[in-house]
Structure formats: structure tokens, C-alpha cells
């Protein structure tokens, strides 16, 4: 019997044991006459009938334990925040951001309650508070500093495109509070840095995180900077905008019409897609790598991913920020920050100060204050055009350090790492066998690649099947509030599937008589994993996406261990190479589990507001399957080292079965939670009490009806809606009688994207109390030519409303006075119409609208257009009828409902 132990770097050959053949040693060869030669495993310990490279079966379970421990450590780092500073710390830190002061500002804004644009809380209370607080800051500023304050009341509009649908976005008398902290260069070069937040909120939410928390941070930054004796090189403009949720209107009004907008050379936008947690840098530029360099050298607590930028800009996340307006309308480079944790509370009543500790404000304040100082005092702001070249790859590692480099450098890094990760292990393994077994090494490498590739596909198919089956039995989103179920329902089956595929490939394609030791065989298969991720990395790199760095870092960890194993000649040692491999894989696990937490924290809450047409289990199952492969692909080939695999496979099966039972048969799998344990995960609902009035061509009333519109926002919402309506029965909106003859079914649209994309249900009921509404009347009808007509309309009312303009058969709207641009019509229920969202901040005068319409018939004198006008009253609870209140009382405690009252007027002109 012979065992192979390497005692030097490269001079040991693989010890071979032959039965009926020959026994090769350094001293020579002994030939025998028997022509049949049987090659056995060269490293078998025949006293135990196992390779000396084998490890205890318990290490399979230990590997899972290591993954979970590292995952919990990364989760801790993702949630860790610095301590908040209080007023008592001012003596020792006179120029520091004091989160206690910011928290007091936040509390006042939070306590105003929901602040939709156009409401008293937004247009009066919030604006008055901001002006008063800025006045206090001005009174206490350093005598070297100069503050200039302007209140902008602005009207305008633009055409927005979202999910391939165009709509006119028109606003009247929305408000901005704008403050300039004047810089040294103001008299010569009026370049400025812009900081932006919005103080309005959606209906039903105080908006503590989205976004008055950011406004409180900006107030404290203004307070700190104004009390310093040193004047910044360039001016800093603080924009507190009052109409972002409507969407993006006040920022558009500033950047397109405010006189200071021309001075802005860069911006920092503060937003939120969750509630509390860390603020992530998730958009930058475009181009302008100097912004990332400023971030790298200034922020004390980095949290940034270029991958997040590319994912967000792909449109898969149903959201947008003022970044789009500053970038596309103002042509200004900037940086976009958002809190992304606890997306369950986003746009609900739970987005309140109760869930925002001082530490959140302190972290954001420290980062943005440092970044603001760096940009406002750097030379780049004076000539941004010189520095606006190229894109940057950037990322942080657990917030411990930040890495950034140009996309061109990233191309070279990715290419080098991928090639070296494949070449070095192959040469190392070939050298350890004196170059005699290259073919066997290549064969084992391809088996490793094939097993990883097929395992990825098979686990993805299995996750899809599980998602479909859970949905079929009526248990979708079982993991929604209990996210650890994802590990058992999707990750464990995915890992089990990947292990079984490796075993199957070994059985089908493995060489039972290979002269390679078990250690060399496993390392060769790990090189196959390198090949798999290398192909993905290069494919993403050469298609121009920067997110390839995610996979490059994973490969880099493997490359580092391979280099050290080769340098010290550990390829064929017993367990030493394995120890090095596992140590570097712990780093890789920290990297990969970091992205698991980012993905799940972001996308699990989003599944609660994407509608019912998409099975969310398929989405989360696919992510979990990918995350499992990403996390465990360099550990899965190690299962061949186990003396027995039954413990590992049995544990995976047991965890899967337990998780499936919990998800499908117990309350653990119920998706939603109220705030009993201060961790709400609610189902979302919009219910609109609606009065509809239909007028004929002569202005007479055709008929009226009323009822409730209920919106289906997630996969389980229909069950809840049916329960709320009982004993009455709801009707899908597209099936009601009005859909046969009325424009767009006369649905009370407040947002074309929501109502068109989501299913809506109609419940007939008594009329609501609507004391004021937007009306449209015809002032004049003008014949411009044989085919051209002009309608002069008058719109009265200062409330949030929407218009749907549907030309009659044979007619086409060619121009209008609302905007310079006419958006493309959208289709709904087989009809085409132009959609207009019209927001009013402060009360406005009647609005004159002209429509130019072309008709195919000469001198046509009949009806040209149908016009649907919807007035929506948010925060209208004092006017709710008893019937509406009883309906709202049926909404479960684990659901969040946004009630509204709407008046729909349908005209023909």
C-alpha cells in the first residue's frame, strides 16, 4: 500500500499502486508479464477502504453551519449603525452632525401626519415650519456666512414615460423652499452644489423616512455648515421640494424655471425606498467619475454598489426619484442615495418616526455632510465638463472599505482574473503530477463545469416548480414576513439539487480508474467552477455592464487560494490545501451573502406591490436559487471528500420538508404581520369611494352611479378584497357594464400606471360626499380648416385630478396647450386616449385648455372627443360616509388601506 504525502513544493510525483502491473518509485520500474493492468485510487487507505483525503461526514453539516454563521455576520454588518450624537456632545464636537437636533426637526414634520401635495399639512404647515427653522438657522449663523432664502411657487409640466407608457404630468402652484449657502466664488464663478429632498408624502403615510427624514438631515447639515467660520469654496443650494410623489413635479419646476438652477453643476439627492437602515448610493453620474472619487475619500461609512445602479436603471424596480429630472432635464451629474431596509413600511402608516432611531440620522448625516464638504470645496465643481469622462465600477465590502476604479480598468481586471483563475490551477495541478496527467485534469475540470452549469439550470427549474405549486395550493408569499423560510423553501432544495447533479455527473462522466488522487480531482472540478463563473463574468463584461465585478470578486477569492496552494506545493497534501481553500471561501461567503441580504431586503417587500399578474414565488425562488449557487458553488464539489454523503443530503431533505410544512400548513407561512412585535409587514390596499356622472354632447346628464373601487396590489389581495366586500360580490373592473360604452371604463384613474397595470374591482354602493370637484366646460368650438377643429375648454378646481382625452372614431388630437409636447396615446380596454395627471399645490385660477383635433371628414360638426375628468380627494376622512367607514373597518389589522373619495365626470365635446 502506498499513500501520497507531499513534503516539498513540486518534486513529488503521484504515488501509484498497480495490481498485476507495476509499482513506480524513484528507484526505477519493475515490469511484469501480465498484460492486464488495473489502476486503483492511488490514495486509498485500505485499512479504512477510504482515501486519505476524505473528511468526516459531519463536515457536510458543518459546511452548512459555516454558511449560516457567515450569513448572520454579514447581516449584522448590513444593519450596524454608529451611535447618535446628542446636544451634550456639542462641546467636544462643535462642527459635527448632531442627530438629536435632526430628530427633533423630523418629529415635528412627522407629527403633521400625511402630507400629499395640495393638502393643508403640506402646503401650509410643512412650508411654514421649514421657513421658520431656516430663519432660526440664519439668526444663529457665523457672521462670515451668508444665507439667501427663496420660496418658489411654480407651474409647468413634462411628458413622463414609465413602463413604456407615456403621460402628461402637469402641475400648478406647487412649492419649493430653496436656500443658498453662499460660497467664496459667488462673485466670480456662480457654480453650486445642489442638495435635494422632498417634504411631501403619499396619502396615509407620515413619510418619516420617505422623505422628511432626509429634509431633517439637510436642515442639520445647513445648521452645521452655517455655523463654521470657514466659507465653502462654492455655494450650496438646499432644495426642499414639495411635490415629488405626484411624481417629480417640484424638482422639475426648480430645475426648469428657478434662476439658481443654471448655477448648479452637481447634485446630491436624498431619497428612501424603505424605512430606516443605511442609505445606499445606488445611482451616480452619468459618467463624471470624480463624484465617486469624492465619495471614496470622504464618507466614513460607505454603502454603495454599481450593480444597484444598473439594476435600478433597468426598470425592474417600480419606482423613480428626482435624480431622473436633474439628470435628464437639467443635464446635471449627481448622486442618488436611498434607505432601502424595511420596505414593508414604505408608503404606509408605519413609515413613522417610531421606527427611525437617532443612529439612522447620524449615519446619513455624517456621510452626506462629509461628501458635501468635499464636493463644495473641490476644484472639480468649477469645471465639471473636464472631469465628465467614463464610468466607474464601485462597491463596498460590508461597509468596512470602499473600492472604485474606471470601467476600462474593470475590463482589464475582469479579464485578467478570469484567465488566471483558470490557467494557474490547471498548471499547478499538471505540475504536481509532473505534467503526465493533463488530459485527466482537463476532463475533471470539464466535469466540474458541466455539473455547475447543469446544477444551476436544474435548481432553477426546481425553484420554479416549487413556486408554481405553492401558488396552486393557495400559499403564495409564505416567506413575505418570515424571510428565513426562503432558506428552507428555496435555498435548501436548490443546494440539494446542485449536489445531486454533481453526484450524477460524477457517476455518468467520472473516470473510476483515474490516476489522480481525490484531492487533485476535487481541485480540478473546482477549476470547472472557475470556468463557469469566468464565462459569466466575461459575458457580462463584454456586453458593457459593470456589475460583472460581483462575480469577479468571487473568482478572485478562488484565485488567491489557488496561487498559495501552488506556491507552497500543497496540491496533493492531506487537508492542507483544503484549509486554504475554505479560509478564502469564508471571505467569498461574506461577499456573496452580503448580496443575498441586499437582494432579499429589496425585492421581498417589492413583491407586495407588483400586482397579482406575476407569481412572486417564481421571482423570489429564482433569486434564491441563484443566490444559493453564487454562495455555495465553490463548496459543493467538496462533497466528494466526505466519507459518506448521507448526513448532508439527509439534513437538506429534512430542512426542506420542515420548511415546506411550515410554509404550506401553519401560521408561520401566513404572509402578513401587524405591528404587535414592531415589525409590520402589511398587505396594501387602495379603496376609492366613487361618484360617477355622465354627460351627453349637449351637456345634459345621461346618468350617474356610485360605488367603491378596490385595487389588487399583490397575489393574495383578491381574497382579502372579497372578504372585505362580503356578503356582496365584487366585479372585475373590465367586466362592468360601463366598459362597454364609456371611455376607459370610467375608472377613477389617479395614476395611469397603477390602474392599467393592476386589476381593479368594483363594488356598487351609495354615493360619497363630494363637496368640491374639478369640472370642464366648453367655452368655444372653432373651425380652423375643413378638417381641423379647435376646442377651447375651461378647467375649474384646484385639486389633484386626471384627464383622459379620447378622440372619437375618425378624429385625432394633433396639438394642445397643456405642454409643448403631445404624449403618445395609451391603450386600455380596446380604446386609445391621452392621459394627463394634473396636480394643484396652492389654490389656482381656472385653467384654459385648447385641443386641436383633426377629423377625416370635411367640415364635420359632430362630437370630436370624450373627456374623462377624475378628482381625487386624499386625507378626506371627515367626509367619509358611514357605509364607507364600515367597509374600511372590515380591513384586517395586518393590512394597510389608503382610502380616498373620487368624482368622475364624463363629457363629450
Amino acid at each position: 500500500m502506498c499513500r501520497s504525502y507531499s513534503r516539498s513544493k513540486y518534486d513529488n510525483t503521484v504515488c501509484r499502486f498497480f495490481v498485476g502491473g507495476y509499482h513506480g518509485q524513484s528507484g526505477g520500474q519493475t515490469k511484469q508479464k501480465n498484460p492486464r493492468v488495473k489502476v486503483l485510487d492511488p490514495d486509498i487507505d485500505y485499512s479504512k477502504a477510504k482515501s486519505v483525503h476524505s473528511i468526516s461526514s459531519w463536515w457536510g453539516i458543518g459546511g452548512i453551519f459555516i454558511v449560516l454563521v457567515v450569513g448572520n455576520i454579514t447581516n449584522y454588518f448590513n444593519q450596524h449603525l454608529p451611535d447618535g450624537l446628542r446636544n451634550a456632545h456639542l462641546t467636544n464636537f462643535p462642527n459635527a452632525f448632531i442627530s438629536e437636533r435632526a430628530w427633533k426637526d423630523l418629529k415635528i414634520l412627522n407629527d403633521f401626519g400625511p402630507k400629499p401635495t395640495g393638502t393643508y399639512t403640506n402646503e401650509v404647515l410643512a412650508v411654514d415650519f421649514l421657513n421658520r427653522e431656516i430663519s432660526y438657522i440664519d439668526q444663529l449663523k457665523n457672521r462670515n456666512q451668508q444665507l439667501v432664502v427663496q420660496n418658489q411657487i411654480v407651474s409647468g409640466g413634462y411628458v413622463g414615460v414609465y413602463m413604456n407608457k407615456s403621460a402628461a404630468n402637469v402641475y400648478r402652484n406647487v412649492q419649493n423652499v430653496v436656500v443658498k449657502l453662499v460660497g467664496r466664488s459667488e462673485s466670480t464663478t456662480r457654480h453650486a452644489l445642489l442638495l435635494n429632498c422632498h417634504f411631501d408624502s403619499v396619502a396615509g403615510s407620515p413619510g418619516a423616512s420617505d422623505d422628511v427624514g432626509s429634509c431633517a438631515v439637510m436642515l442639520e447639515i445647513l445648521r452645521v455648515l452655517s455655523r463654521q467660520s470657514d466659507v465653502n469654496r462654492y455655494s450650496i443650494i438646499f432644495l426642499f421640494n414639495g411635490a415629488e410623489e405626484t411624481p417629480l413635479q417640484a424638482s422639475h419646476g426648480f430645475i426648469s424655471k428657478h434662476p439658481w438652477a443654471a448655477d448648479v453643476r452637481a447634485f446630491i439627492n436624498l431619497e428612501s425606498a424603505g424605512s430606516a437602515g443605511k442609505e445606499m448610493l445606488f445611482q451616480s453620474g452619468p459618467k463624471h467619475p470624480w463624484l465617486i472619487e469624492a465619495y471614496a475619500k470622504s464618507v466614513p461609512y460607505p454603502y454603495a454598489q454599481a450593480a444597484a445602479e444598473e439594476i435600478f436603471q433597468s426598470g425592474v424596480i417600480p419606482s423613480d426619484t428626482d435624480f431622473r429630472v436633474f439628470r435628464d432635464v437639467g443635464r446635471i451629474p449627481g448622486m442618488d442615495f436611498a434607505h432601502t431596509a424595511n420596505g414593508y413600511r414604505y408608503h404606509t402608516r408605519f413609515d413613522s418616526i417610531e421606527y427611525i432611531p437617532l443612529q439612522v440620522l447620524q449615519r446619513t448625516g455624517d456621510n452626506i455632510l462629509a461628501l458635501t464638504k468635499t464636493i463644495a470645496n473641490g476644484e472639480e465643481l468649477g469645471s465639471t465638463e473636464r472631469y465628465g469622462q467614463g464610468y466607474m465600477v464601485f462597491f463596498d465590502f460590508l461597509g468596512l472599505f470602499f473600492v472604485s476604479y474606471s470601467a476600462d480598468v474593470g475590463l482589464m481586471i475582469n479579464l485578467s482574473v478570469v484567465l488566471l483563475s483558470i490557467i494557474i490551477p490547471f498548471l499547478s495541478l499538471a505540475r504536481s503530477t509532473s505534467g503526465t496527467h493533463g488530459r485527466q485534469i482537463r476532463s475533471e475540470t470539464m466535469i466540474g463545469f458541466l455539473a455547475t452549469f447543469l446544477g444551476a439550470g436544474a435548481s432553477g427549474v426546481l425553484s420554479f416548480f416549487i413556486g408554481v405549486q405553492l401558488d396552486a395550493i393557495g400559499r403564495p408569499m409564505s416567506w413575505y414576513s418570515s424571510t428565513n423560510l426562503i432558506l428552507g423553501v428555496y435555498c435548501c432544495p436548490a443546494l440539494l439539487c446542485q449536489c445531486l447533479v454533481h453526484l450524477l455527473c460524477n457517476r455518468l462522466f467520472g473516470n473510476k480508474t483515474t490516476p489522480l488522487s481525490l484531492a487533485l480531482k476535487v481541485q480540478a472540478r473546482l477549476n470547472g467552477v472557475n470556468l463557469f463563473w469566468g464565462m459569466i463574468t466575461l459575458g457580462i463584461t463584454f456586453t458593457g455592464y459593470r456589475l460583472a465585478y460581483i462575480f469577479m470578486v468571487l473568482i478572485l477569492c478562488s484565485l488567491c487560494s489557488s496561487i498559495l496552494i501552488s506556491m507552497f506545493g500543497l496540491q496533493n497534501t492531506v487537508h492542507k490545501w483544503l484549509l486554504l481553500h475554505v479560509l478564502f471561501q469564508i471571505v467569498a461567503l461574506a461577499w456573496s451573502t452580503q448580496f443575498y441580504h441586499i437582494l432579499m431586503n429589496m425585492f421581498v417587500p417589492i413583491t407586495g406591490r407588483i400586482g397579482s399578474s406575476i407569481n412572486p414565488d417564481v421571482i423570489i425562488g429564482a433569486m434564491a436559487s441563484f443566490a444559493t449557487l453564487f454562495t455555495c458553488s465553490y463548496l459543493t464539489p467538496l462533497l466528494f471528500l466526505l466519507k459518506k454523503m448521507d448526513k448532508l443530503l439527509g439534513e437538506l431533505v429534512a430542512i426542506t420538508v420542515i420548511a415546506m410544512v411550515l410554509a404550506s400548513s401553519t401560521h408561520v407561512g401566513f404572509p402578513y404581520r401587524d405591528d404587535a412585535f414592531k415589525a409590520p409587514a402589511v398587505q396594501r390596499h387602495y379603496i376609492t369611494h366613487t361618484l360617477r356622472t355622465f354627460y351627453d354632447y349637449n351637456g345634459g346628464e345621461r346618468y350617474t352611479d356610485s360605488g367603491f373601487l378596490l385595487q389588487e396590489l399583490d397575489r393574495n389581495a383578491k381574497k382579502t378584497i372579497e372578504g372585505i366586500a362580503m356578503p356582496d360580490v365584487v366585479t372585475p373592473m373590465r367586466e362592468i357594464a360601463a366598459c362597454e360604452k364609456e371611455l376607459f371604463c370610467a375608472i377613477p384613474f389617479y395614476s395611469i400606471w397603477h390602474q392599467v397595470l393592476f386589476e381593479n374591482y368594483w363594488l356598487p354602493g351609495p354615493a360619497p360626499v363630494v363637496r368640491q370637484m374639478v369640472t370642464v366646460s366648453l367655452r368655444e368650438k372653432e373651425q380652423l380648416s375643413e378638417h381641423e377643429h379647435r376646442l377651447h375648454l375651461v378647467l375649474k378646481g384646484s385639486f389633484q385630478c386626471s384627464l383622459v382625452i379620447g378622440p372619437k372614431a375618425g378624429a385625432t388630437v394633433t396639438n394642445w396647450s397643456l405642454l409643448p409636447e403631445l404624449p403618445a396615446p395609451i391603450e386600455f380596454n380596446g380604446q386609445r386616449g391621452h392621459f394627463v395627471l394634473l396636480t394643484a399645490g396652492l389654490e389656482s385660477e381656472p385653467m384654459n385648455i385648447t385641443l386641436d383635433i383633426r377629423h377625416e371628414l370635411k367640415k364635420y360638426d359632430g362630437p370630436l372627443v370624450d373627456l374623462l375628468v377624475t378628482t381625487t380627494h386624499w386625507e378626506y376622512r371627515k367626509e367619509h360616509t358611514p357605509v364607507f367607514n364600515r367597509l374600511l373597518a372590515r380591513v384586517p389589522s395586518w393590512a394597510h388601506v389608503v382610502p380616498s373619495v373620487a368624482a368622475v365626470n364624463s363629457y363629450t365635446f
Side-chain angles (χ1 to χ4, degrees):
M1 181 181 71
C2 177
R3 304 179 190 177
S4 60
Y5 295 89
S6 294
R7 293 183 174 84
S8 61
K9 286 187 178 181
Y10 302 112
D11 59 350
N12 290 294
T13 59
V14 179
C15 183
R16 290 179 284 182
F17 185 89
F18 294 91
V19 176
Y22 65 90
H23 181 80
Q25 297 283 358
S26 58
Q29 295 181 349
T30 304
K31 296 183 180 181
Q32 294 191 4
K33 296 180 180 180
N34 192 341
R36 294 184 178 181
V37 178
K38 184 177 181 181
V39 183
L40 301 179
D41 187 329
D43 295 307
I44 288 182
D45 181 345
Y46 284 99
S47 64
K48 299 179 181 178
K50 284 292 178 183
S51 169
V52 294
H53 296 288
S54 297
I55 58 178
S56 170
S57 303
W58 289 103
W59 277 110
I61 297 175
I64 296 177
F65 178 76
I66 291 172
V67 172
L68 294 176
V69 168
V70 174
N72 278 285
I73 292 173
T74 58
N75 190 44
Y76 167 79
F77 278 102
N78 278 344
Q79 297 179 359
H80 179 68
L81 300 169
D83 293 333
L85 296 182
R86 298 182 177 272
N87 291 329
H89 293 99
L90 272 171
T91 304
N92 296 326
F93 306 100
N95 296 320
F97 183 97
I98 304 298
S99 57
E100 185 178 20
R101 292 191 302 203
W103 195 87
K104 289 180 179 178
D105 293 337
L106 171 58
K107 188 175 189 313
I108 294 173
L109 288 166
N110 175 87
D111 290 349
F112 290 152
K115 296 169 285 296
T117 302
T119 61
Y120 178 78
T121 52
N122 191 69
E123 307 305 326
V124 178
L125 295 182
V127 171
D128 285 352
F129 167 75
L130 290 170
N131 282 320
R132 186 170 63 253
E133 197 61 35
I134 292 167
S135 175
Y136 294 153
I137 293 172
D138 188 34
Q139 293 172 24
L140 298 174
K141 71 179 186 298
N142 187 281
R143 63 182 182 179
N144 295 336
Q145 304 288 351
Q146 179 185 356
L147 285 184
V148 183
V149 184
Q150 290 190 4
N151 279 30
Q152 182 190 27
I153 300 174
V154 62
S155 300
Y158 65 96
V159 173
V161 179
Y162 183 64
M163 301 192 77
N164 299 320
K165 298 185 185 299
S166 299
N169 198 342
V170 180
Y171 51 91
R172 295 192 294 164
N173 291 349
V174 300
Q175 297 193 82
N176 287 316
V177 179
V178 194
V179 188
K180 179 189 284 189
L181 182 63
V182 178
R184 299 193 306 271
S185 67
E186 183 73 9
S187 59
T188 55
T189 304
R190 298 182 60 184
H191 292 178
L193 169 68
L194 174 70
L195 268 65
N196 176 70
C197 70
H198 67 89
F199 56 86
D200 67 313
S201 72
V202 296
S205 174
S209 184
D210 184 25
D211 186 39
V212 291
S214 297
C215 293
V217 166
M218 281 174 47
L219 282 173
E220 176 62 11
I221 290 174
L222 177 61
R223 188 180 289 116
V224 172
L225 293 178
S226 68
R227 295 182 183 182
Q228 294 181 1
S229 58
D230 293 336
V231 178
N232 293 298
R233 181 175 183 178
Y234 295 104
S235 297
I236 304 171
I237 297 172
F238 294 79
L239 172 59
F240 301 89
N241 87 64
E244 189 270 350
E245 300 288 0
T246 43
L248 317 183
Q249 293 174 337
S251 60
H252 183 272
F254 171 82
I255 208 65
S256 62
K257 298 194 174 183
H258 197 283
W260 292 350
D263 302 335
V264 176
R265 291 296 180 268
F267 69 88
I268 296 173
N269 185 51
L270 302 181
E271 255 293 357
S272 179
S275 173
K278 297 180 177 181
E279 82 293 337
M280 173 183 279
L281 170 60
F282 70 102
Q283 291 193 96
S284 67
K287 298 185 178 180
H288 291 267
W290 64 273
L291 289 169
I292 298 298
E293 292 170 358
Y295 181 90
K297 66 184 179 183
S298 63
V299 297
Y301 312 112
Y303 188 47
Q305 295 291 339
E309 175 176 294
E310 294 187 323
I311 291 172
F312 185 84
Q313 293 180 354
S314 71
V316 300
I317 297 177
S319 187
D320 214 339
T321 75
D322 288 320
F323 182 95
R324 175 191 289 272
V325 170
F326 298 139
R327 178 194 64 194
D328 296 348
V329 179
R331 304 295 179 185
I332 303 167
M335 310 177 83
D336 208 1
F337 295 85
H339 296 90
T340 58
N342 299 304
Y344 304 107
R345 303 197 287 261
Y346 172 71
H347 282 189
T348 73
R349 65 183 181 274
F350 299 112
D351 184 11
S352 67
I353 196 169
E354 180 181 1
Y355 295 96
I356 301 182
L358 289 179
Q359 294 94 320
V360 173
L361 300 178
Q362 188 67 54
R363 178 198 157 85
T364 302
D366 286 345
N367 279 347
I368 302 304
L369 175 60
L371 181 61
T372 299
K373 286 182 177 180
T374 299
I375 296 177
N377 291 285
E379 65 177 19
E380 293 88 353
L381 202 65
S383 54
T384 54
E385 297 80 4
R386 288 176 50 199
Y387 300 95
Q389 302 294 327
Y391 289 93
M392 294 289 282
V393 176
F394 57 90
F395 56 88
D396 75 286
F397 181 71
L398 300 180
L400 299 175
F401 57 87
F402 182 75
V403 178
S404 62
Y405 46 83
S406 71
D408 292 335
V409 171
L411 172 65
M412 299 305 299
I413 290 175
N414 294 349
L415 183 61
S416 301
V417 169
V418 168
L419 293 179
L420 290 175
S421 70
I422 297 169
I423 294 171
I424 288 180
F426 177 79
L427 294 178
S428 173
L429 294 173
R431 188 171 184 179
S432 70
T433 61
S434 300
T436 58
H437 299 304
R439 184 177 63 82
Q440 289 86 348
I441 294 171
R442 288 192 296 271
S443 175
E444 295 295 341
T445 299
M446 292 310 299
I447 292 173
F449 168 80
L450 184 64
T452 306
F453 175 78
L454 295 178
S459 61
V461 171
L462 177 61
S463 294
F464 177 83
F465 176 78
I466 293 172
V468 170
Q469 290 304 307
L470 285 174
D471 185 64
I473 65 174
R475 301 290 288 195
M477 300 175 64
S478 58
W479 31 261
Y480 185 68
S481 59
S482 303
T483 53
N484 285 335
L485 275 180
I486 297 173
L487 297 173
V489 172
Y490 289 111
C491 293
C492 274
L495 181 57
L496 178 63
C497 185
Q498 291 160 20
C499 289
L500 292 176
V501 169
H502 273 269
L503 293 174
L504 180 62
C505 287
N506 182 66
R507 180 178 290 270
L508 294 177
F509 307 112
N511 184 359
K512 297 180 178 59
T513 60
T514 178
L516 298 177
S517 70
L518 180 59
L520 298 179
K521 183 167 68 174
V522 171
Q523 290 172 68
R525 294 197 181 179
L526 287 170
N527 199 27
V529 182
N530 287 336
L531 180 60
F532 173 82
W533 290 117
M535 292 177 65
I536 291 177
T537 302
L538 294 184
I540 294 174
T541 300
F542 289 122
T543 54
Y545 290 99
R546 289 167 289 153
L547 59 80
Y549 73 86
I550 296 176
F551 310 103
M552 180 276 295
V553 173
L554 188 70
I555 301 171
L556 181 62
C557 292
S558 176
L559 173 61
C560 290
S561 61
S562 296
I563 290 174
L564 291 178
I565 289 170
S566 178
M567 285 177 58
F568 295 106
L570 306 178
Q571 301 92 325
N572 208 33
T573 55
V574 177
H575 304 159
K576 291 180 181 179
W577 72 270
L578 179 60
L579 178 62
L580 265 180
H581 175 76
V582 171
L583 286 176
F584 278 93
Q585 281 309 300
I586 289 176
V587 179
L589 285 174
W591 175 254
S592 57
T593 54
Q594 171 185 240
F595 283 97
Y596 174 85
H597 294 305
I598 292 174
L599 277 176
M600 295 307 167
N601 288 338
M602 173 62 72
F603 283 97
V604 168
I606 285 176
T607 60
R609 57 182 193 269
I610 61 173
S612 62
S613 60
I614 301 173
N615 183 354
D617 274 77
V618 171
I619 297 174
I620 298 302
M623 289 184 178
S625 176
F626 166 79
T628 303
L629 180 73
F630 187 57
T631 301
C632 300
S633 57
Y634 282 98
L635 300 177
T636 307
L638 302 183
L639 66 89
F640 293 106
L641 297 175
L642 300 177
K643 293 179 179 178
K644 291 184 179 180
M645 303 174 191
D646 53 350
K647 288 185 175 64
L648 172 62
L649 301 181
E651 183 186 46
L652 293 175
V653 170
I655 295 174
T656 300
V657 170
I658 293 171
M660 290 294 183
V661 171
L662 292 174
S664 61
S665 305
T666 71
H667 186 71
V668 175
F670 183 73
Y672 312 106
R673 300 286 185 271
D674 57 23
D675 63 340
F677 298 101
K678 300 302 179 184
V682 293
Q683 187 181 63
R684 299 163 185 265
H685 292 274
Y686 285 85
I687 303 179
T688 305
H689 197 180
T690 307
L691 171 67
R692 304 195 296 181
T693 307
F694 301 88
Y695 298 93
D696 59 25
Y697 181 54
N698 298 317
E701 184 177 304
R702 288 190 286 134
Y703 73 96
T704 65
D705 69 4
S706 58
F708 303 93
L709 182 77
L710 300 95
Q711 194 170 115
E712 188 177 35
L713 289 178
D714 77 10
R715 194 72 165 182
N716 294 304
K718 185 178 180 181
K719 300 176 188 176
T720 309
I721 290 171
E722 291 172 341
I724 293 171
M726 288 180 63
D728 298 312
V729 178
V730 295
T731 304
M733 197 71 198
R734 289 174 173 83
E735 298 178 13
I736 64 175
C739 279
E740 298 178 5
K741 53 185 178 180
E742 303 297 344
L743 177 64
F744 280 30
C745 302
I747 296 177
F749 285 108
Y750 65 88
S751 161
I752 190 65
W753 302 293
H754 281 82
Q755 268 91 340
V756 168
L757 294 175
F758 300 153
E759 186 59 84
N760 300 273
Y761 295 90
W762 181 254
L763 177 66
V769 176
V770 186
R771 304 191 186 279
Q772 296 174 306
M773 66 182 72
V774 175
T775 60
V776 175
S777 59
L778 178 65
R779 181 167 57 85
E780 181 185 359
K781 183 177 181 180
E782 185 181 356
Q783 182 88 35
L784 300 178
S785 67
E786 290 184 337
H787 293 278
E788 300 290 335
H789 308 263
R790 175 169 292 170
L791 300 180
H792 296 266
L793 307 174
V794 179
L795 183 145
K796 296 181 180 179
S798 297
F799 311 100
Q800 188 177 89
C801 71
S802 65
L803 310 178
V804 180
I805 302 169
K808 290 286 191 180
T812 305
V813 178
T814 59
N815 201 3
W816 62 3
S817 62
L818 287 168
L819 294 174
E821 180 183 357
L822 179 68
I826 63 172
E827 293 188 9
F828 180 76
N829 194 42
Q831 300 165 320
R832 293 167 63 85
H834 302 274
F835 183 83
V836 182
L837 174 65
L838 205 159
T839 301
L842 297 173
E843 188 171 353
S844 307
E845 295 296 321
M847 182 179 187
N848 294 318
I849 302 173
T850 60
L851 298 177
D852 291 349
I853 302 174
R854 179 180 178 81
H855 202 284
E856 61 187 21
L857 299 179
K858 291 183 179 180
K859 297 183 179 181
Y860 176 78
D861 194 32
L864 294 169
V865 65
D866 290 322
L867 188 64
L868 200 67
V869 183
T870 299
T871 307
T872 304
H873 292 284
W874 307 103
E875 300 304 317
Y876 204 62
R877 295 178 185 271
K878 291 182 180 180
E879 302 294 338
H880 289 177
T881 64
V883 174
F884 194 17
N885 284 327
R886 285 197 295 271
L887 187 71
L888 296 175
R890 298 177 195 166
V891 176
S893 63
W894 40 260
H896 170 76
V897 61
V898 180
S900 59
V901 175
V904 179
N905 292 324
S906 177
Y907 303 94
T908 300
F909 298 117

